[in-house]
Amino acid sequence: MATEIGALTVLPARRENIELYTADGLTLVGEVALPPERDPVATLLTLHPLPTHGGYMDSHVYRKAAWRLPALADVAVVRFNTRGTASPRGTSQGEFGGGPAEKHDVHALLEYGEFHDLPNRWLVGWSFGTEFTLMHGDDPSIEGAILLSPPLHRATDADLDRWAAFGKPVRILVPEHDDFLRPPQARERFARLTQAELIEGPGMKHLWVGENAVRWVLTRILEVVNPAALPLPTTWAGDLAETDMLDPAIEI
């Protein structure tokens, strides 16, 4: 009998706890989730929201991506805690640096994807993670970037100009009712990023809460990285996976 895919549904994947190693000597903890039986066709290298406001590798959109996309879309999902960030997986070494110091975290993530030869790598930032993406992520090893709810508090026009010169595609998902940067202002701020495609999330807010919002975000991501997997199924007929990474305090 088919199971409806909901907030706590964990589909099969080859999951492995990983460690990333930064150039300034820190060990960062994370997880890679791979398709259960095949090689991935694409990879999401994710950067989480602001850790001083509850962001970490298990922030719900990323957790659900890791629980669903390997099985449903043959997409690998790499999540990790930036320096000083804790989750049920563990605590990464170091202290929160506010953006500049985290360049080493971004580079460690990129190096992990390249060293393990993960295919078709896309850097995905959410909220604070979009600042890292724009400040430090313009690396030739990636196919492009996907930005979820970018606040543009730390990334500057110089960062946008550098990405414009970099030339690789950027898809920007901006909630209609975002708490920090709404679509009209986002279109103005990102105008200098000439290759960017900005899509408004109708009726949605910064945290993308609720199944409709999550499915909308995952669909917009797959349109870029593996459109052949669409439409995403809403039920699963096979066995479900077990996980010890559930935290009752995590928002769903």
Side-chain angles (χ1 to χ4, degrees), residues 149-151 174-183 204-207:
S149 309
V174 180
E176 180 184 4
H177 303 300
D178 193 88
D179 301 88
F180 303 107
L181 189 69
R182 296 191 176 185
M204 299 173 193
K205 296 184 178 181
H206 189 76
L207 294 180

Side-chain angles (χ1 to χ4, degrees), residues 43 45 78 108-119 121:
T43 305
L45 303 174
V78 181
L109 174 66
L110 296 170
E111 288 170 2
Y112 177 88
E114 189 168 14
F115 180 80
H116 290 276
D117 201 25
L118 295 172
R121 297 184 294 277

